[in-house]
Amino acid sequence: MVIDLDKNNHRRDIPDTPGVHGIALAPELNKGFISNGRGNNVTIFDMKTLKATGTATTEMNPDDITYDRVSSRVFAFNGHGRSRQRHGD
């Protein structure tokens, strides 16, 4: 559910976001990203229309999500997955 805070009303729903854990916004790209914990994916949506434009598959239970403006990359961190980042490779 998207709420317009200026008008204090329901603006729209973004469907197919099972188990929403977080959201990251990239205004300069006009994109938003939603981590779906039960869907094991991230929904990508248009910030103006609030329509989904795609999904990205993740490991199990994506949780925290953030957008890094410097690199123009989105990072989703899983809560219960068994994946790990190796350092020094």
Side-chain angles (χ1 to χ4, degrees), residues 77-89:
F77 302 90
N78 53 345
H80 301 293
R82 299 202 190 304
S83 62
R84 62 186 172 110
Q85 177 68 35
R86 294 178 56 184
H87 300 282
D89 289 342

Side-chain angles (χ1 to χ4, degrees), residues 8-75:
N8 195 30
N9 64 8
H10 175 251
R11 183 157 170 224
R12 182 178 202 144
D13 289 328
I14 300 174
D16 301 320
T17 53
V20 171
H21 282 224
I23 184 168
L25 301 176
E28 64 271 17
L29 302 175
N30 188 43
K31 292 184 181 181
F33 306 87
I34 301 169
S35 62
N36 303 309
R38 289 192 315 263
N40 299 326
N41 62 32
V42 170
T43 298
I44 306 160
F45 68 94
D46 181 288
M47 286 182 58
K48 289 183 182 138
T49 66
L50 301 178
K51 291 185 179 181
T53 60
T55 59
T57 302
T58 65
E59 291 287 332
M60 189 172 83
N61 191 29
D63 196 356
D64 185 40
I65 188 166
T66 190
Y67 170 66
D68 176 49
R69 292 178 71 182
V70 175
S71 66
S72 295
R73 296 178 87 181
V74 173
F75 297 91

